[in-house]
Amino acid sequence: MNIGVDRISFCTSNYFVDLKTLAHARSVDPDKYYVGIGQEKMGIPPPDEDVVTLAASAAYPLMRDGELGDVELLLFATETGIDQSKAAGIYVHGLLDMSPRCRTVELKQACYSGTAALQLAIGFVARNPQKKALVLSSDIARYELGSPGEATQGCGAVAMLVSANPRLVAIEPECGYYTEDVMDFWRPNYRSEALVDGKYSTMVYIHALLESWKQYADQTGRTLADFDRFCYHIPFTKMAEKAHQKLARKLKVEIGKDEMLALLEESLRYSRITGNCYTASMYVGLASLLDTAEEDLTGKRIGLYSYGSGCVGEFFSGVVQPGYREFLYADQHRNLLDNRTELTYQQYEDIYNYGVPTDAGEYVFPQYKTGPFRFSGISQHKREYESLVE
Ligand code: CAA
């Protein structure tokens, strides 16, 4: 029985900063961002957007299309946790009016936990083939103003329905994974911005890739020639390109720039203009690949590499299913990305500094967000959400 991704829907903020604007403010050559790290825009969440509204908005089309009826497991992956106790997925469960007969839990391991959620969901479906799981990966990448990481900020969420006989991508059973205790990127509970040892983090990302690949290749006997496309975790698009080059070099495979772009480029299109979405990032890449590839990908094998600092890496693979194009949300994604509002530098800094109140007062947030759900305020430490759909 095949198990895997049956539907995939993505959401990012309605607002973005062009990295030319940031480059000007930081007196940096824009090509450092556009070319050097391969990023053009970063999605910026307004005060009434958080990981709950991003995830609920990503999953909304699934609800609208009646796809959530058989879901009995909701896994919410994030490293932008909003509460030390309550799972963010429970707010989403409420906003989407899902059945109470559902297991809901939040998972954390930096950018990797979306993949942990997907693999756990596959295990659940293997045991309960009539049931489905909803995997939500949702994050807001936030670094200090003026820091090297600033240009790699972004935000977004991906909702994936996981089922038997999936209509999009069957995930193959073999996978290689790797854990090592390192401090390359982390965020203590008392901070709202990540701390990162940037150059070191890129080295650990690649080390974990090589180790994960080794186990995957041992299990499957596959070589790079067995793959038609690759999706990497994308903190910035250049990182994915560099990772693939390093893997090819390690395996003594000659790969030219054009050949590499043919394997990766479609998966990088969305991330180049949303920025890092942490747990959602590789799955934004998967949506980008499926939505924008001109070639029919039916039967093609995709190599997937997920990385979460700290660190855990995993290499696995999936095969695109016949008829997949009929079940994509490509038009909706294009529409979302084409209709965002550009922020000035000052608007960006004002939003950056807004800060969620931490006292027991009553707060109503100004409305920036245009639906379907918004984070409308806080009352006595309780988050309040509003549905904007009729
Ligand atoms: N034109 C073209 N290219 C230029 C340029 C110009 N004018 N100026 C600089 N560049 C190039 C540089 O040569 C460099 O290229 P190479 O990497 O090929 O040498 C590239 O632009 C970046 O320049 P720097 O190395 O000087 O950049 P930096 O040190 O200021 O920042 C970074 C880079 C450290 C990765 C920083 O973006 C960062 O800290 N990012 C956050 C951490 C991160 O994303 N790590 C990735 C792995 S960890 C992970 O994946 C988990 C996660 O999601 C965070």
Side-chain angles (χ1 to χ4, degrees):
M1 177 177 61
N2 281 335
I3 305 176
V5 181
D6 190 52
R7 303 296 304 261
I8 186 165
S9 170
F10 141 77
C11 181
T12 184
S13 161
N14 303 120
Y15 298 90
F16 73 90
V17 171
D18 194 302
L19 290 182
K20 285 182 185 148
T21 305
L22 185 69
H24 180 71
R26 301 283 173 256
S27 304
V28 164
D29 180 351
D31 275 352
K32 173 171 179 183
Y33 302 149
Y34 268 58
V35 180
I37 60 168
Q39 290 300 121
E40 295 176 13
K41 295 173 181 169
M42 51 186 193
I44 300 295
D48 57 345
E49 182 95 89
D50 69 0
V51 288
V52 168
T53 57
L54 283 166
S57 303
Y60 174 70
L62 303 178
M63 178 185 95
R64 188 194 56 205
D65 293 350
E67 299 276 17
L68 301 181
D70 296 322
V71 170
E72 291 197 10
L73 176 68
L74 191 166
L75 298 175
F76 193 106
T78 188
E79 64 177 281
T80 320
I82 52 166
D83 196 290
Q84 295 285 18
S85 172
K86 179 168 174 165
I90 295 182
Y91 293 107
V92 178
H93 179 278
L95 288 169
L96 298 178
D97 201 18
M98 291 172 67
S99 162
R101 192 185 162 87
C102 185
R103 278 188 192 132
T104 302
V105 74
E106 184 169 315
L107 291 91
K108 175 172 66 187
Q109 181 10 62
C111 308
Y112 168 74
S113 62
T115 296
L118 174 61
Q119 296 289 15
L120 292 170
I122 288 170
F124 171 80
V125 173
R127 189 157 187 175
N128 306 277
Q130 310 305 322
K131 312 265 188 256
K132 294 182 181 172
L134 179 63
V135 170
L136 302 171
S137 298
S138 184
D139 268 306
I140 295 167
R142 184 177 155 96
Y143 297 91
E144 280 181 5
L145 294 178
S147 69
E150 184 184 23
T152 69
Q153 293 178 122
C155 65
V158 169
M160 291 187 288
L161 195 62
V162 177
S163 74
N165 306 315
R167 289 169 285 182
L168 300 182
V169 180
I171 300 297
E172 296 182 298
E174 303 87 358
C175 43
Y177 30 74
Y178 177 79
T179 291
E180 187 182 348
D181 183 2
V182 291
M183 293 300 278
D184 59 331
F185 167 108
W186 66 104
R187 186 167 68 83
N189 287 343
Y190 47 82
R191 285 183 61 97
S192 65
E193 300 85 27
L195 294 163
V196 60
D197 188 342
K199 297 281 183 211
Y200 177 55
S201 71
T202 63
M203 288 159 55
V204 186
Y205 174 116
I206 286 167
H207 179 68
L209 165 65
L210 301 180
E211 293 297 320
S212 306
W213 165 267
K214 216 187 290 171
Q215 290 171 23
Y216 175 89
D218 283 349
Q219 287 171 42
T220 60
R222 289 184 190 128
T223 68
L224 290 188
D226 291 307
F227 295 86
D228 300 286
R229 297 289 192 284
F230 290 86
C231 273
Y232 282 86
H233 169 57
I234 315 167
F236 47 94
T237 65
K238 219 27 172 305
M239 182 74 236
E241 292 177 23
K242 284 194 168 184
H244 195 68
Q245 270 166 349
K246 294 269 187 203
L247 180 60
R249 199 169 305 151
K250 180 82 182 172
L251 302 176
K252 301 190 172 24
V253 175
E254 285 286 326
I255 183 163
K257 179 89 179 157
D258 288 349
E259 195 189 339
M260 195 186 57
L261 285 181
L263 292 167
L264 260 64
E265 199 272 330
E266 295 131 333
S267 73
L268 306 179
R269 290 175 178 164
Y270 288 175
S271 294
R272 199 184 304 283
I273 55 172
T274 62
N276 197 353
C277 306
Y278 290 161
T279 53
S281 170
M282 189 185 76
Y283 299 100
V284 172
L286 179 60
S288 177
L289 168 62
L290 297 173
D291 287 355
T292 71
E294 279 170 26
E295 186 188 356
D296 181 355
L297 298 176
T298 300
K300 306 282 185 200
R301 175 174 289 119
I302 305 171
L304 299 131
Y305 174 62
S306 181
Y307 175 73
S309 292
C311 73
V312 180
E314 178 162 341
F315 191 96
F316 62 111
S317 54
V319 176
V320 181
Q321 299 300 291
Y324 73 98
R325 279 183 160 145
E326 231 182 293
F327 299 100
L328 296 174
Y329 290 108
D331 291 346
Q332 184 176 301
H333 296 158
R334 191 71 260 159
N335 195 35
L336 167 73
L337 291 167
D338 286 349
N339 289 295
R340 296 181 296 167
T341 302
E342 182 171 356
L343 299 173
T344 63
Y345 178 78
Q346 195 52 52
Q347 287 171 324
Y348 156 62
E349 209 176 279
D350 290 348
I351 286 177
Y352 183 97
N353 290 323
Y354 192 82
V356 173
T358 55
D359 62 33
E362 307 273 334
Y363 296 93
V364 176
F365 297 155
Q367 181 164 355
Y368 290 84
K369 196 169 167 356
T370 51
F373 306 105
R374 61 183 290 270
F375 174 27
S376 54
I378 294 192
S379 167
Q380 294 168 29
H381 297 295
K382 294 175 192 156
R383 286 186 174 236
E384 294 181 339
Y385 294 96
E386 183 185 355
S387 171
L388 301 171
V389 280
E390 302 288 301

